[in-house]
Amino acid sequence: MNSFFERKYIIQGIFIAVAVIIAARLFYLQLIDESYLLSANNNVLRKMVIYPARGVILDRNSKVLVQNEPVYDLLVTPREVKDIDTALLCELVGIDKDGFNRRMAAARSYSPYKASQFEKQIPATAYAKLQEHLYKFRGFYVQNRTVRSYPDSIAAQFLGYIQEVNDRDIERSKGFYRPGDYIGASGVESAYEELLRGQRGVKNVMVDAFNRPQGVFADGKYDTLAVAGDGLVSSLDKDLQILAEKLMRNKIGSVVAIEPATGEILTFVSSPSYDPNMMVGRERGNNYMKLLNDPYKPMFIRPIQAQYPPGSVFKVVSALTAQQAGLIDQHTIFNCPGGYRYGGGRAIMRCTHVDGPIPLITAIQRSCNTYFGYTYARMIDHRGMPTGEAYTLWRDAVMKFGIGHPLGIDLPGEKSGLLPTADFYTKRYGNAKWGSSYNISLSIGQGEMGITPLQMANIMAIVANRGFYYRPHLIKGIGEKKIVKPEFAEKISAGVDEKYYEPVIEGLSRAVNVPGGTGYSVRIADIEMCGKTGTAQNPHGADHAVFFAFAPRENPKIAIAVVVENAGYGGTWAGPIASMLVEQYLKDTITLPKFIQDRIYNADLLPKPKTEKPKETVRTAPREAHTQPGSSDEHVEFIHHSVAALNRYE
């Protein structure tokens, strides 16, 4: 009996203890812990997202390239909207009644109970008027945002733009992004998105029945601060970029200038360009479609995506790799009777010069096609090994100069260029018995070879450095500590010993600084610029003008490549542009004759729209001959490569 009473009291004690614990917990939740009060008071509290400012982007001299300016998103919670003056709201926001109805339907479809965007990116001037009447529109409130602003309207393709996230962006971010967030869509904005974007914050604000803020809840105890994105220091020189864009106005092409000692890109021009401010604001969608449909393709990033036959710049690579292979030296002489004969003497790759016996330095200076035809033949046919193996050794040596693969610039969308493998030619000709005569145009940078303007400039940086380069990049410092990415501090060898560069550099110097050189008209007083004009063949119209150089010869500060499409000779158009940019950068002045400057500034070289497309004529030559009639020191017409073959390779 006693044990029965003992169990009774034990059970009663357990129930009493549980009741006390529950009561204590209720007391804590209702009177002490305010987090549940926060949830319970959602009808008078508004949880506002605080969007961080994106990181500012500066040029190499700390001048602003990209900054932020305030805009305002108008949000709506559909179930809270009651008895509002629709006409007044439409007038203040700048929409019509149909626009109002569409926006409300979209908001209800998203959620009747959650706030969503009604109108985005309202400028400060319009918001000032809206703010006076906002209390009249129950269920509507404003979210502070920032958008990008470009004070100088330059470097659009380099800087890129931001856009609102889509479902795929949200999914890939694993919940970081939410509808209405912005994300870098191209250029540096995309490449450095995780650093630029910052971290959202949250602010809990009390509001009254008229939607008017009444103060911060709980002294901000449950708020989180927004963290601004990291700033970036660009390698660009803003003043040089502005000048380069002016020089390339009404022209199609590229300008890339690199500091050889660091790989930092000083100028990055893709022309035609556009005002990056077009990709900001409420007209962004319309502007985007205009740019997308522009026949001159301003959103195409030519410095890293356009691929041209390298022409004369490749003769520099050919001279260096052949010396390293021990097949020629600076004293090697080949006879130039006006062209290089191949295919048993049945075909000729012409050279406009009849130079007679010519050494390496003069061959570089005069860009002798004959000399480099012989050089290529030695690399492919005279190495005591099967053609495919010899070609692969040649190709591997060429690739060390950054040809045939992406250089790894800190921008999305870089192209690798074109450099076929030995298998390409074996499949093309049906067996492995082909030789140098089957693709002799490669000897002078034509045929199935293409490089980007960035790769052209990087070759000049390699020559300026006498054998190495740093990966070209556009951002030289991240955040307050100006951190440099480790991949941009790596010294990369081009695989050719330093001693072999001097005869090549001497030839490049003579091409610019000695009377009769193709670049003599654009020489710079008191600066020994080493460079070369070029003309890249264009099967679709007028040829492309090219100029590549570095300066000064000793302790070089700048390596540059300029491509002007459909312009003809390099010395006429690309050369003066490069000369002015180099002199401006090194001497802060331009001494090129004014009539040349005016011609460059005022020229309109944009191809005119054709009223009727002419019929295309495809010319071919027998495989055995590979004839290449017509040549200048930089300009070779190659007609034996079929479009189908190139398309298969690509």
Side-chain angles (χ1 to χ4, degrees), residues 274-291:
Y274 61 92
D275 182 350
N277 290 296
M278 293 177 65
M279 299 301 289
V280 177
R282 297 159 80 180
E283 288 298 312
R284 178 192 172 281
N286 293 333
N287 291 335
Y288 177 79
M289 293 309 300
K290 289 178 184 177
L291 294 171

PDB file of all heavy atoms in Angstrom, residues 274-291:
ATOM      1  N   TYR A 274      30.587  51.322 -77.398  1.00  0.00           N
ATOM      2  CA  TYR A 274      29.311  51.934 -77.046  1.00  0.00           C
ATOM      3  C   TYR A 274      29.448  52.578 -75.676  1.00  0.00           C
ATOM      4  O   TYR A 274      30.400  52.298 -74.937  1.00  0.00           O
ATOM      5  CB  TYR A 274      28.176  50.904 -77.051  1.00  0.00           C
ATOM      6  CG  TYR A 274      28.350  49.771 -76.058  1.00  0.00           C
ATOM      7  CD1 TYR A 274      27.811  49.846 -74.775  1.00  0.00           C
ATOM      8  CD2 TYR A 274      29.051  48.621 -76.398  1.00  0.00           C
ATOM      9  CE1 TYR A 274      27.973  48.810 -73.867  1.00  0.00           C
ATOM     10  CE2 TYR A 274      29.218  47.585 -75.507  1.00  0.00           C
ATOM     11  CZ  TYR A 274      28.672  47.685 -74.242  1.00  0.00           C
ATOM     12  OH  TYR A 274      28.841  46.662 -73.336  1.00  0.00           O
ATOM     13  N   ASP A 275      28.531  53.446 -75.350  1.00  0.00           N
ATOM     14  CA  ASP A 275      28.525  54.097 -74.042  1.00  0.00           C
ATOM     15  C   ASP A 275      28.022  53.084 -73.012  1.00  0.00           C
ATOM     16  O   ASP A 275      26.874  52.637 -73.091  1.00  0.00           O
ATOM     17  CB  ASP A 275      27.609  55.321 -74.081  1.00  0.00           C
ATOM     18  CG  ASP A 275      27.588  56.089 -72.767  1.00  0.00           C
ATOM     19  OD1 ASP A 275      28.125  55.587 -71.754  1.00  0.00           O
ATOM     20  OD2 ASP A 275      27.020  57.196 -72.745  1.00  0.00           O
ATOM     21  N   PRO A 276      28.851  52.695 -72.040  1.00  0.00           N
ATOM     22  CA  PRO A 276      28.387  51.692 -71.064  1.00  0.00           C
ATOM     23  C   PRO A 276      27.193  52.151 -70.241  1.00  0.00           C
ATOM     24  O   PRO A 276      26.483  51.315 -69.668  1.00  0.00           O
ATOM     25  CB  PRO A 276      29.626  51.458 -70.187  1.00  0.00           C
ATOM     26  CG  PRO A 276      30.497  52.643 -70.400  1.00  0.00           C
ATOM     27  CD  PRO A 276      30.243  53.113 -71.793  1.00  0.00           C
ATOM     28  N   ASN A 277      26.944  53.459 -70.192  1.00  0.00           N
ATOM     29  CA  ASN A 277      25.763  53.947 -69.477  1.00  0.00           C
ATOM     30  C   ASN A 277      24.463  53.516 -70.159  1.00  0.00           C
ATOM     31  O   ASN A 277      23.392  53.593 -69.544  1.00  0.00           O
ATOM     32  CB  ASN A 277      25.810  55.473 -69.365  1.00  0.00           C
ATOM     33  CG  ASN A 277      26.903  55.941 -68.415  1.00  0.00           C
ATOM     34  OD1 ASN A 277      26.871  55.660 -67.221  1.00  0.00           O
ATOM     35  ND2 ASN A 277      27.891  56.636 -68.951  1.00  0.00           N
ATOM     36  N   MET A 278      24.550  53.080 -71.416  1.00  0.00           N
ATOM     37  CA  MET A 278      23.365  52.569 -72.104  1.00  0.00           C
ATOM     38  C   MET A 278      22.828  51.308 -71.440  1.00  0.00           C
ATOM     39  O   MET A 278      21.640  50.977 -71.572  1.00  0.00           O
ATOM     40  CB  MET A 278      23.684  52.269 -73.570  1.00  0.00           C
ATOM     41  CG  MET A 278      23.990  53.472 -74.429  1.00  0.00           C
ATOM     42  SD  MET A 278      24.448  52.998 -76.121  1.00  0.00           S
ATOM     43  CE  MET A 278      22.910  52.274 -76.718  1.00  0.00           C
ATOM     44  N   MET A 279      23.712  50.585 -70.721  1.00  0.00           N
ATOM     45  CA  MET A 279      23.310  49.327 -70.102  1.00  0.00           C
ATOM     46  C   MET A 279      22.864  49.518 -68.658  1.00  0.00           C
ATOM     47  O   MET A 279      22.843  48.577 -67.869  1.00  0.00           O
ATOM     48  CB  MET A 279      24.463  48.330 -70.165  1.00  0.00           C
ATOM     49  CG  MET A 279      24.897  48.000 -71.585  1.00  0.00           C
ATOM     50  SD  MET A 279      23.566  47.303 -72.578  1.00  0.00           S
ATOM     51  CE  MET A 279      23.396  45.700 -71.821  1.00  0.00           C
ATOM     52  N   VAL A 280      22.482  50.754 -68.322  1.00  0.00           N
ATOM     53  CA  VAL A 280      22.014  51.084 -66.984  1.00  0.00           C
ATOM     54  C   VAL A 280      20.665  51.782 -67.121  1.00  0.00           C
ATOM     55  O   VAL A 280      20.450  52.561 -68.055  1.00  0.00           O
ATOM     56  CB  VAL A 280      23.008  52.011 -66.263  1.00  0.00           C
ATOM     57  CG1 VAL A 280      22.481  52.401 -64.892  1.00  0.00           C
ATOM     58  CG2 VAL A 280      24.371  51.347 -66.137  1.00  0.00           C
ATOM     59  N   GLY A 281      19.763  51.528 -66.187  1.00  0.00           N
ATOM     60  CA  GLY A 281      18.508  52.269 -66.159  1.00  0.00           C
ATOM     61  C   GLY A 281      17.362  51.538 -66.819  1.00  0.00           C
ATOM     62  O   GLY A 281      17.468  50.394 -67.265  1.00  0.00           O
ATOM     63  N   ARG A 282      16.247  52.243 -66.918  1.00  0.00           N
ATOM     64  CA  ARG A 282      15.002  51.620 -67.357  1.00  0.00           C
ATOM     65  C   ARG A 282      14.947  51.376 -68.864  1.00  0.00           C
ATOM     66  O   ARG A 282      14.095  50.646 -69.346  1.00  0.00           O
ATOM     67  CB  ARG A 282      13.832  52.496 -66.904  1.00  0.00           C
ATOM     68  CG  ARG A 282      13.758  52.581 -65.379  1.00  0.00           C
ATOM     69  CD  ARG A 282      12.982  53.791 -64.898  1.00  0.00           C
ATOM     70  NE  ARG A 282      11.554  53.584 -64.960  1.00  0.00           N
ATOM     71  CZ  ARG A 282      10.654  54.498 -64.589  1.00  0.00           C
ATOM     72  NH1 ARG A 282      11.075  55.676 -64.125  1.00  0.00           N
ATOM     73  NH2 ARG A 282       9.377  54.256 -64.683  1.00  0.00           N
ATOM     74  N   GLU A 283      15.864  51.974 -69.624  1.00  0.00           N
ATOM     75  CA  GLU A 283      15.916  51.748 -71.066  1.00  0.00           C
ATOM     76  C   GLU A 283      16.942  50.682 -71.438  1.00  0.00           C
ATOM     77  O   GLU A 283      17.244  50.493 -72.617  1.00  0.00           O
ATOM     78  CB  GLU A 283      16.244  53.052 -71.791  1.00  0.00           C
ATOM     79  CG  GLU A 283      15.118  54.053 -71.798  1.00  0.00           C
ATOM     80  CD  GLU A 283      13.877  53.513 -72.524  1.00  0.00           C
ATOM     81  OE1 GLU A 283      14.031  52.988 -73.646  1.00  0.00           O
ATOM     82  OE2 GLU A 283      12.776  53.597 -71.951  1.00  0.00           O
ATOM     83  N   ARG A 284      17.475  50.010 -70.431  1.00  0.00           N
ATOM     84  CA  ARG A 284      18.534  49.046 -70.687  1.00  0.00           C
ATOM     85  C   ARG A 284      18.113  47.973 -71.688  1.00  0.00           C
ATOM     86  O   ARG A 284      18.870  47.619 -72.599  1.00  0.00           O
ATOM     87  CB  ARG A 284      18.961  48.383 -69.375  1.00  0.00           C
ATOM     88  CG  ARG A 284      20.028  47.320 -69.556  1.00  0.00           C
ATOM     89  CD  ARG A 284      20.220  46.492 -68.291  1.00  0.00           C
ATOM     90  NE  ARG A 284      21.099  45.376 -68.555  1.00  0.00           N
ATOM     91  CZ  ARG A 284      20.729  44.249 -69.156  1.00  0.00           C
ATOM     92  NH1 ARG A 284      19.482  44.094 -69.562  1.00  0.00           N
ATOM     93  NH2 ARG A 284      21.599  43.277 -69.371  1.00  0.00           N
ATOM     94  N   GLY A 285      16.917  47.441 -71.541  1.00  0.00           N
ATOM     95  CA  GLY A 285      16.453  46.378 -72.434  1.00  0.00           C
ATOM     96  C   GLY A 285      16.396  46.827 -73.881  1.00  0.00           C
ATOM     97  O   GLY A 285      16.843  46.116 -74.789  1.00  0.00           O
ATOM     98  N   ASN A 286      15.851  48.014 -74.128  1.00  0.00           N
ATOM     99  CA  ASN A 286      15.772  48.537 -75.492  1.00  0.00           C
ATOM    100  C   ASN A 286      17.166  48.791 -76.056  1.00  0.00           C
ATOM    101  O   ASN A 286      17.451  48.494 -77.227  1.00  0.00           O
ATOM    102  CB  ASN A 286      14.956  49.828 -75.514  1.00  0.00           C
ATOM    103  CG  ASN A 286      13.493  49.597 -75.181  1.00  0.00           C
ATOM    104  OD1 ASN A 286      12.961  48.511 -75.418  1.00  0.00           O
ATOM    105  ND2 ASN A 286      12.842  50.594 -74.626  1.00  0.00           N
ATOM    106  N   ASN A 287      18.035  49.348 -75.219  1.00  0.00           N
ATOM    107  CA  ASN A 287      19.401  49.631 -75.673  1.00  0.00           C
ATOM    108  C   ASN A 287      20.156  48.342 -75.992  1.00  0.00           C
ATOM    109  O   ASN A 287      20.935  48.285 -76.952  1.00  0.00           O
ATOM    110  CB  ASN A 287      20.157  50.425 -74.613  1.00  0.00           C
ATOM    111  CG  ASN A 287      19.625  51.841 -74.452  1.00  0.00           C
ATOM    112  OD1 ASN A 287      19.040  52.395 -75.383  1.00  0.00           O
ATOM    113  ND2 ASN A 287      19.821  52.418 -73.285  1.00  0.00           N
ATOM    114  N   TYR A 288      19.929  47.332 -75.178  1.00  0.00           N
ATOM    115  CA  TYR A 288      20.603  46.052 -75.410  1.00  0.00           C
ATOM    116  C   TYR A 288      20.237  45.487 -76.781  1.00  0.00           C
ATOM    117  O   TYR A 288      21.098  44.998 -77.518  1.00  0.00           O
ATOM    118  CB  TYR A 288      20.232  45.061 -74.305  1.00  0.00           C
ATOM    119  CG  TYR A 288      20.824  43.684 -74.493  1.00  0.00           C
ATOM    120  CD1 TYR A 288      22.149  43.426 -74.167  1.00  0.00           C
ATOM    121  CD2 TYR A 288      20.058  42.645 -75.010  1.00  0.00           C
ATOM    122  CE1 TYR A 288      22.700  42.165 -74.343  1.00  0.00           C
ATOM    123  CE2 TYR A 288      20.589  41.385 -75.188  1.00  0.00           C
ATOM    124  CZ  TYR A 288      21.914  41.147 -74.852  1.00  0.00           C
ATOM    125  OH  TYR A 288      22.446  39.898 -75.044  1.00  0.00           O
ATOM    126  N   MET A 289      18.958  45.559 -77.144  1.00  0.00           N
ATOM    127  CA  MET A 289      18.528  45.030 -78.434  1.00  0.00           C
ATOM    128  C   MET A 289      19.106  45.846 -79.585  1.00  0.00           C
ATOM    129  O   MET A 289      19.462  45.296 -80.635  1.00  0.00           O
ATOM    130  CB  MET A 289      17.003  45.007 -78.510  1.00  0.00           C
ATOM    131  CG  MET A 289      16.355  44.010 -77.545  1.00  0.00           C
ATOM    132  SD  MET A 289      17.047  42.327 -77.652  1.00  0.00           S
ATOM    133  CE  MET A 289      16.689  41.920 -79.358  1.00  0.00           C
ATOM    134  N   LYS A 290      19.222  47.165 -79.393  1.00  0.00           N
ATOM    135  CA  LYS A 290      19.845  47.996 -80.432  1.00  0.00           C
ATOM    136  C   LYS A 290      21.296  47.576 -80.657  1.00  0.00           C
ATOM    137  O   LYS A 290      21.758  47.452 -81.797  1.00  0.00           O
ATOM    138  CB  LYS A 290      19.786  49.469 -80.020  1.00  0.00           C
ATOM    139  CG  LYS A 290      18.403  50.096 -80.068  1.00  0.00           C
ATOM    140  CD  LYS A 290      18.458  51.545 -79.596  1.00  0.00           C
ATOM    141  CE  LYS A 290      17.071  52.160 -79.551  1.00  0.00           C
ATOM    142  NZ  LYS A 290      17.108  53.556 -79.028  1.00  0.00           N
ATOM    143  N   LEU A 291      22.027  47.375 -79.569  1.00  0.00           N
ATOM    144  CA  LEU A 291      23.429  46.976 -79.684  1.00  0.00           C
ATOM    145  C   LEU A 291      23.554  45.581 -80.287  1.00  0.00           C
ATOM    146  O   LEU A 291      24.457  45.307 -81.086  1.00  0.00           O
ATOM    147  CB  LEU A 291      24.096  47.018 -78.313  1.00  0.00           C
ATOM    148  CG  LEU A 291      24.232  48.406 -77.671  1.00  0.00           C
ATOM    149  CD1 LEU A 291      24.716  48.286 -76.226  1.00  0.00           C
ATOM    150  CD2 LEU A 291      25.182  49.285 -78.468  1.00  0.00           C
TER     151      LEU A 291
END
